[in-house]
Amino acid sequence: MGLSVCGYRAADVQPTAWGSYARPMTAERVATDPPAPLPAPAPVEFLATEVGEIAVRRTPVRGPGPHEPALLVHGLGGNSLNWVDLAESLADRLECVSPDLPGFGATEPLADEDFSIAAHSRAMVATIEALFPGQAVHLFGNSMGGAVAVQLAALRPDLVRTLTLISPALPDLKPRLTNVHIPVMAMPGVGKGLFDRYQKVDADERVKATFDLCYADPSRLHPQRRAEAEEEARRRDELPYIRQAFVGSTQSLLATYLDRGPERPWALAGRVEAPTLLVYGRQDKLVDPKAAHRATKEFQEAHVMVIPDSGHVAQMEHPELVDRWWREFLG
């Protein structure tokens, strides 16, 4: 079993919680007034697949290439905007496509209205086969998207070159005060009512609450990215199926935590053949970064990075670190 553990810290080389040593790597933050504009998100395209129409964003590539294909899968309640900065950073090396999972972003529910992790995984398989026929991809997944990516990589190893998981939602039955709302949302007869109450809060306030939960330091969020998220939230408020998609996906995700069958998530992790990079934020309020220790035992070839000053969405809060470590991981 391959193993590499690395934790980046702000100043000098220090040991991580698992005894390995890290080279220093910091994210330099330069204050500008006003903040310099960021690249605009790629436009949404609608891709015909064998399971239905999937909305995707294709980040334009840079340089002569070759550019290998990559698929980047967002988490629960997220969308393809969650990958804009990392995809832009990787565009000299990868052809990055960020899909919206069924029921999220601009993708409507598929005909069977199945929001299970297995159904999301099948939709991503169909997306890869439609976009990159006969090719394998570098697969990225964040949070619930990490759970989707593990299923895909385990069950269709022919489609995955490497696997990168950022705070993946893999089973951990120890509740935390900051994520207790998730199992409550999955309770039959309760989740729908809670979701409806939450939707009555102004969209801008909901976006602020989301970034406060998902970032270690919400002041890192660029005003442009906040405005894009607010616009997307207001657009989705008009859609009739957002409660069904969110609550259904939450219930399915929590069901995988209780699964004891042969295709339970950690068992699938052991079947992943692709080299796997796992990125955790030490200040993650939703996924316990201590899960990194179990990941090194379960995946066949695990490389782990723990970012001390990151939360749940390191690809958004620290895209430069995820980019640089992914390149080292690839060798």
Side-chain angles (χ1 to χ4, degrees), residues 76 178-187 250-251 253-254 286:
L76 179 66
T178 48
N179 68 7
V180 70
H181 63 286
I182 296 177
V184 172
M185 188 69 72
M187 293 174 61
T250 303
Q251 291 172 337
L253 179 63
L254 268 294
L286 295 172

Side-chain angles (χ1 to χ4, degrees), residues 84-149:
V84 173
D85 292 318
L86 181 61
E88 177 67 26
S89 186
L90 292 168
D92 65 316
R93 179 68 187 266
L94 299 178
E95 181 182 353
C96 292
V97 177
S98 308
D100 289 324
L101 291 170
F104 296 91
T107 301
E108 296 186 0
L110 302 181
D112 58 7
E113 296 187 343
D114 185 350
F115 298 106
S116 68
I117 301 302
H120 286 318
S121 178
R122 290 193 295 270
M124 294 301 95
V125 167
T127 301
I128 294 171
E129 292 179 333
L131 283 168
F132 308 113
Q135 299 184 68
V137 304
H138 297 284
L139 182 62
F140 294 71
N142 171 228
S143 192
M144 184 185 77
V148 172

Side-chain angles (χ1 to χ4, degrees), residues 240-264:
Y241 52 78
I242 56 173
R243 181 182 68 182
Q244 181 187 10
F246 188 90
V247 175
S249 294
T250 303
Q251 291 172 337
S252 173
L253 179 63
L254 268 294
T256 69
Y257 281 41
L258 303 175
D259 189 356
R260 295 293 180 269
E263 294 193 354
R264 62 191 184 278

